[in-house]
Amino acid sequence: MYSIAINNGLCFINGKFIRASIGIEGNKIARVSKEELKGEIEFDACRNIIIPAFFNAHTHAAMTLLRGIAEDMELNTWLKNVWRLERLLTPEDIYWGTMLAIVEMMKSGIAGFSDLYIHMDEVAKAAGEAGLRAVLCYGMADRGDEEKARRELDIGEKFISDWDGAFDGRIKAIYGPHAPYTCTPEFLRTVKERADRLETTIHIHVSETQWEIEEIKKRYGTTPVRLLEKIGFLDDNVIIAHGVWLDDEELEILKKRGVSVVYNPVSNMKLSSGIARVRDMLDTGITVALGTDGAASNNSYNFFQEMKFASLLQKIKYMRADAVKAEDVLRMATENGYAAYGIRGGRIEEGYLADIAVLSKSQHLYPLYNPTYGLVYSASGEEVQHLIVSGEIIMEDRVILTVDEEKIFDKVEGLKEKFTS
């Protein structure tokens, strides 16, 4: 008998939807079978769609607090406004802003997320208490100041020491230098050395805008990816966010070094940053994951919306209806996010982490000819009924079992005056 048995669901397995049952034991999938399984808790899923839960591979969760403030701006102007407001954020604000993000992510079927921000102890607490999986890093930037560089490195390393492996392994703490235009090459070399010594991962923004490309050329006479390659920064323990402005040679460098890329289509559109060459990345053999970026530049954590835009935007980029197919996007949203961060999840397969979303068929999915097309192009997110993370049911019938939603809403509503006065 398994701790949880999900029986007779239409399950996404090896890129196809097939009728199967899933047995969960501890935090892992112990059995995938065509036969009905017995469990201490059983779900009759004959009317449900079962998918590996999503992994939001790049975000700044607590930016929910800044949602709707800095609008209709390109990235540089947007950053000036956001950085000014971020100075007002306290650790407690970050906790409640992250909790608000977590509620939204859960309702969208997201079991795990990667977060690069400030006051990260509070992000770790929020994710751990809510029952989500999280890859977290303090967003470091030295800006050419040696004393600041030492402080930033100390904060980043202490965060890793304090939180890596916390909450039964659901928290993975890594390094998060902000970007090549806010971090000097010397600083980035040190980050890479420390990450290698600790055998951990690095997450960084790279080549998000044309401005960034020109700025790095002005400073160093080359492009961001070539700069990172020159200083020995790129490796299979590096995940870059955005990668919008990459040429053919840079794609080959990323492939050669085993670097993964997180595609953030809605944020890239909203800030008019550009359209990443995702079809070319996939053809080159680069692992591409999916992210929302922060709620101040998206403005939601709805992964169904993100999947739809992820595919549609590529169709326009290449003027090909099959440029990035629905199955490509579903893989980016699940398996590729986990794989990028070295986590054995994102698949319905024995031995993989039991991070699973159970979906109903909403009105948007009738008639259902192909579940993959339905989920990527038609679903709204309301289809997510139950969410299981690490073998624990944390949302049942769209009721979150681990946090008090109303308390969170009241708390963040009370913070508005701070940012508008």
Side-chain angles (χ1 to χ4, degrees):
M1 181 178 287
Y2 299 97
S3 55
I4 300 174
I6 304 169
N7 286 313
N8 302 314
L10 196 56
C11 302
F12 186 66
I13 299 173
N14 293 327
K16 296 179 180 177
F17 279 92
I18 61 173
R19 189 70 61 181
S21 298
I22 302 166
I24 295 169
E25 195 58 56
N27 68 345
K28 298 237 178 29
I29 296 171
R31 181 87 186 277
V32 179
S33 170
K34 291 194 173 181
E35 307 299 320
E36 204 164 289
L37 303 173
K38 293 292 183 185
E40 294 171 29
I41 299 171
E42 293 184 7
F43 288 100
D44 178 3
C46 65
R47 295 181 177 273
N48 296 107
I49 297 167
I50 316 298
I51 61 170
F54 299 131
F55 192 97
N56 187 353
H58 176 69
T59 192
H60 315 286
M63 290 186 86
T64 48
L65 298 178
L66 307 181
R67 174 163 38 203
I69 287 184
E71 300 293 13
D72 299 329
M73 301 172 183
E74 47 75 39
L75 181 64
N76 276 351
T77 306
W78 180 87
L79 279 172
K80 287 172 188 172
N81 280 270
V82 166
W83 283 341
R84 175 179 57 83
L85 293 169
E86 283 177 337
R87 295 190 194 103
L88 303 174
L89 291 169
T90 67
E92 185 181 9
D93 295 341
I94 294 292
Y95 175 86
W96 290 111
T98 301
M99 275 297 193
L100 179 62
I102 282 169
V103 166
E104 191 172 347
M105 286 194 273
M106 282 187 190
K107 293 287 179 80
S108 182
I110 294 170
F113 67 103
S114 175
D115 200 71
L116 185 159
Y117 209 42
I118 55 176
H119 302 307
M120 292 304 293
D121 291 352
E122 301 304 315
V123 179
K125 287 176 194 172
E129 290 168 12
L132 279 196
R133 188 176 308 287
V135 179
L136 307 176
C137 47
Y138 168 65
M140 304 181 293
D142 70 310
R143 300 181 186 276
D145 182 327
E146 288 186 19
E147 186 179 337
K148 182 175 173 59
R150 283 193 292 273
R151 283 199 312 271
E152 294 285 272
L153 288 164
D154 287 346
I155 294 169
E157 190 153 326
K158 185 176 187 304
F159 176 72
I160 292 171
S161 174
D162 289 348
W163 291 100
D164 190 44
F167 292 103
D168 298 319
R170 283 188 287 107
I171 304 298
K172 182 173 182 175
I174 67 172
Y175 279 107
H178 176 260
Y181 62 89
T182 53
C183 300
T184 61
E186 295 74 25
F187 183 79
L188 292 172
R189 277 196 197 97
T190 304
V191 170
K192 174 62 174 164
E193 287 166 7
R194 293 194 180 195
D196 288 350
R197 174 168 52 81
L198 293 177
E199 297 183 340
T200 192
T201 308
I202 303 169
H203 187 38
I204 181 172
H205 302 84
V206 176
S207 299
E208 183 175 359
T209 64
Q210 281 185 305
W211 171 87
E212 179 185 339
I213 305 301
E214 295 308 314
E215 182 66 19
I216 295 299
K217 281 182 180 176
K218 219 183 290 180
R219 292 186 202 177
Y220 308 112
T222 189
T223 60
V225 167
R226 288 181 179 86
L227 173 66
L228 295 176
E229 170 72 350
K230 182 180 177 181
I231 66 173
F233 186 85
L234 299 177
D235 209 340
D236 61 4
N237 67 342
V238 174
I239 301 98
I240 70 170
H242 303 298
V244 174
W245 297 94
L246 302 175
D247 60 35
D248 290 348
E249 184 181 9
E250 289 175 309
L251 293 181
E252 289 297 334
I253 290 170
L254 296 181
K255 167 57 180 173
K256 178 182 175 184
R257 297 301 181 195
V259 175
S260 299
V261 177
V262 185
Y263 174 37
N264 302 272
V266 173
S267 176
N268 293 158
M269 280 192 287
K270 188 165 186 285
L271 298 175
S272 65
S273 299
I275 309 174
R277 298 172 59 192
V278 173
R279 178 68 267 159
D280 294 329
M281 292 179 194
L282 296 176
D283 288 344
T284 304
I286 295 168
T287 296
V288 181
L290 191 65
T292 58
D293 211 343
S297 65
N298 186 294
N299 288 22
S300 80
Y301 294 129
N302 186 322
F303 235 47
F304 291 89
Q305 179 187 85
E306 206 71 38
M307 286 195 296
K308 181 172 183 174
F309 278 116
S311 179
L312 299 189
L313 196 54
Q314 293 298 307
K315 297 176 192 305
I316 295 301
K317 170 77 172 175
Y318 293 93
M319 292 307 293
R320 279 177 46 195
D322 64 347
V324 171
K325 298 179 181 179
E327 53 263 36
D328 297 325
V329 173
L330 192 52
R331 196 171 294 111
M332 288 177 208
T334 54
E335 172 180 355
N336 288 8
Y338 285 86
Y341 289 98
I343 302 170
R344 192 172 168 81
R347 293 172 63 93
I348 295 177
E349 188 174 313
E350 292 172 7
Y352 276 67
L353 287 166
D355 292 1
I356 293 170
V358 179
L359 282 57
S360 65
K361 295 178 190 174
S362 69
Q363 61 178 343
H364 308 292
L365 298 183
Y366 284 95
L368 189 64
Y369 296 110
N370 183 310
T372 302
Y373 299 155
L375 295 181
V376 172
Y377 297 131
S378 303
S380 65
E382 67 188 73
E383 296 80 7
V384 181
Q385 296 301 303
H386 315 308
L387 185 64
I388 298 169
V389 179
S390 218
E392 298 288 335
I393 302 166
I394 62 172
M395 183 173 75
E396 188 169 8
D397 295 321
R398 292 192 68 75
V399 175
I400 296 175
L401 307 178
T402 52
V403 300
D404 183 339
E405 292 181 62
E406 290 304 319
K407 182 178 180 181
I408 293 166
F409 299 151
D410 288 344
K411 283 282 186 181
V412 297
E413 190 68 15
L415 293 173
K416 282 197 308 187
E417 278 187 30
K418 175 185 287 196
F419 305 110
T420 54
S421 58

